Amino acid sequence: MTELAVDLLGADRPEEELCRGALAALVGDNDLFLHLFGHKDVIEEIFSAAPEAAGRYSVTEAPFEITNDLSPTEAMEHTDASLTQALHLCRDREAVAGIVTCGATGSVLMGSVMILGRIGRQRPALLVELKNGKDESVCLLDCGANIDCRAPMLVDFAKLGDSYMRAAGCENPRVALLSNGAEKKKGCATVKEAHGLLEKEKLNFVGNIEPNKVLSGAADVVVCDGFHGNILLKCIEGTAKEVLSEIRERLPRADEETARVLRHVYGRYDYN
């Protein structure tokens, strides 16, 4: 059985909505156990309505909500916070495979380093799975955790992305470095240095990739610093939103099949 710690506070959406999502996950997967952190009365009210989930979740009262208003360092001082308690459980209970949180990015990153610790000197990164035109996964990292990066950090991100895609079933992931041109000489000083380092690694490094090729199927892993990764991610989502919005305006009476296709396409580009 897979055990996960779930932080139900600190998201853009209300706690109740996250509770309903967690409950839907339990109902849909009989091999799942969730350790829920938040307001006990809110959680139990929602979960008590689903007897099929009984015995496959635990509830911990963790009333403090970490928001973006707190600095990550201050956030870690709150031992009664849902995020910090979930991280501690993930560290202390070997059976817990991971933590699910929609909390403040900086605090999640800080908590990962301070509570879970690092593997060697590895810097944690944010990774997102996108879908290319063939509906195949493309992982992008970093997409927001590390704004200023040195070249060796980009190499570390490449190794993380390679491991992630292999675990997801991709046999020999093609790793690319985000740049403003496909040629080796293109890019800022950090990208150029990272390119040289990646060529020496035992990775399937395919060189630089331009932003307009990220979803083309040319690479399985796209590596960059968190600043440019976050911009790329939001540009993809924003462009898709505007294009699909215009299509909807021009097809006000779209039939059911057209509406279904539009929902499917938008689902692939929505960064959430």
Side-chain angles (χ1 to χ4, degrees), residues 136-255:
E136 299 166 334
S137 291
V138 181
C139 83
L140 170 70
L141 76 166
D142 185 7
C143 60
N146 303 280
I147 300 304
D148 298 303
C149 294
R150 294 173 286 104
M153 291 172 67
L154 298 182
V155 175
D156 285 346
F157 297 163
K159 293 176 181 177
L160 282 174
D162 176 77
S163 296
Y164 179 91
M165 290 303 289
R166 286 180 186 277
C170 184
E171 238 176 70
N172 190 26
R174 296 160 298 165
V175 178
L177 186 63
L178 187 68
S179 187
N180 63 329
E183 301 89 348
K184 181 178 178 178
K185 63 181 180 180
K186 289 291 182 74
C188 62
T190 301
V191 168
K192 289 176 183 176
E193 183 184 350
H195 193 290
L197 293 174
L198 284 166
E199 285 183 316
K200 300 172 185 177
E201 293 290 334
K202 294 179 181 179
L203 294 167
N204 184 10
F205 180 54
V206 295
N208 288 348
I209 190 169
E210 295 182 72
N212 61 342
K213 298 293 185 183
V214 167
L215 301 180
S216 69
D220 305 299
V221 178
V222 176
V223 176
C224 56
D225 62 62
F227 179 76
H228 293 97
N230 195 266
I231 289 175
L232 173 62
L233 188 62
K234 289 175 180 175
C235 281
I236 290 171
E237 197 263 351
T239 301
K241 184 182 289 185
E242 292 303 316
V243 169
L244 293 170
S245 176
E246 183 173 347
I247 292 173
R248 279 194 293 268
E249 285 178 15
R250 293 176 180 273
L251 293 172
R253 297 181 182 84
D255 57 42

